[in-house]
Amino acid sequence: MKIAVLPGDGVGKEVVPVARDVLKMTLPDAEFVHVDVGHERWLREGKAMTDGDMDVVRGCDCVLFGAITSPPGKPYRSIILALRKDLELYANIRPFKSNPVSPRQVDFVIYRENSEDLYAGLETVTPDEVRSVRLITRKASERIARVACRRPGIRKLTIVHKANVMKSCELFRDACISVATAAGVPYDDMLVDTAAYYLVRDPSRFDTIVTTNLFGDILSDEASALIGSMGLSPSANVGDRYALFEPVHGSAPDIAGKGIANPIAAVLSAKMLLEWAGKPDAAKAVQHAVDRTIAEGTLTPDLGGRCTTQDVGTTVLKHLEKTL
Ligand code: NAI
Ligand code: MG
């Protein structure tokens, strides 16, 4: 297997090497292809990502990605949005599962539609007015609902939308209902503002959430707070033949360069890569190593500890080596 490694900017450069080491240990035959993309490269070389870089990525089986700082004034196309679009990664899968240091006990997955909505780039800009088109299609809505309904062990699908205001959300909701009905999956639906409320008030009512691109983006960061930190939330961007794995968090300029970023979100993204690659035992071993690391109190400051990225990485690898 050939894995493109794109650490990107800021803490991406600090947490991705830990996740790569986890993959080196669990996939000894894998080949890693490093690609330097992002805002820091743009500042240095005037290029954030070239067509050649995209060809290299396409030549790999999947991607391990960090995070990229959004440039002020949009001098180039968003790299993560370009990768999601060009590689047709239409499903963004984000599991949220508490650990012993989490402030709340939750266990649910957000399935975020990854190809349309206000992120489709359909914007008309004039000096005094900007129009952003919200594109929602039946095809893409049914596609993400099908992925969500295939979740192993799914108990209930909650369709999150804003159909009381937007026709586009009526289409999304109804497309998801038809897929859930055909699949025999129990479902309910909820307005996004109500979902934001219940995520804090009673997150135990959620099992599997399916929602549109922007709502999924926002609710994911809220859900990260429930489990304790942005530094704990992994994600998979999946299409029919390709996949990209990345932490939910961004480049975190407020802590970048200090060596204190939590690498667990990136490590658990590597775990999702292993699941996607058909290596469930290796994936379980990674989860076990992370659980042990947290349980014994090897924690970065976001979780109230004093350990460094490196301390957590070394401890995860130590436990992983014992389990494999
Ligand atoms: P962020 O997700 O980078 O950070 C939000 C908060 O979470 C900050 O307080 C940060 O210190 C904390 N945090 C994030 N990752 C952490 C980790 N591994 N360990 C401990 N704490 C962590 O969001 P922010 O600051 O709004 O965005 C920073 C930049 O990242 C922006 O330019 C944004 O556009 C970009 N971004 C990129 C993404 C991507 O490439 N996929 C996703 C989200 C944001
Ligand atoms: Mg986000």
Side-chain angles (χ1 to χ4, degrees), residues 84 94 112 119 216-218 220-221 230 248-250:
R84 286 173 182 162
R94 299 180 153 188
R112 166 190 178 196
Y119 292 41
D217 193 357
I218 296 169
S220 300
D221 281 27
M230 289 299 296
V248 168
H249 66 73

Side-chain angles (χ1 to χ4, degrees), residues 164-229:
N164 57 338
V165 175
M166 289 182 280
K167 293 278 177 217
S168 51
C169 264
E170 262 183 55
L171 175 62
F172 180 79
R173 179 198 59 198
D174 294 348
C176 291
I177 287 175
S178 67
V179 169
T181 306
V185 172
Y187 69 87
D188 59 11
D189 71 287
M190 203 180 273
L191 297 175
V192 63
D193 34 359
T194 312
Y197 172 72
Y198 275 115
L199 269 179
V200 174
R201 169 134 192 138
D202 180 16
S204 68
R205 64 166 64 211
F206 298 108
D207 172 62
T208 305
I209 292 174
V210 66
T211 191
T212 49
N213 205 338
L214 175 62
F215 298 162
D217 193 357
I218 296 169
L219 295 181
S220 300
D221 281 27
E222 189 186 353
S224 299
L226 297 174
I227 59 168
S229 169

Side-chain angles (χ1 to χ4, degrees), residues 11 15 65-71 80 84 94 217 221 229-232 246-255 260-265 300 302:
V11 299
V15 298
F65 184 84
I68 286 179
T69 303
S70 306
I80 186 64
R84 286 173 182 162
R94 299 180 153 188
D217 193 357
D221 281 27
S229 169
M230 289 299 296
L232 292 173
E246 55 164 344
V248 168
H249 66 73
S251 58
D254 54 342
I255 57 165
I260 55 165
N262 191 338
I264 290 178
T300 41
D302 54 313

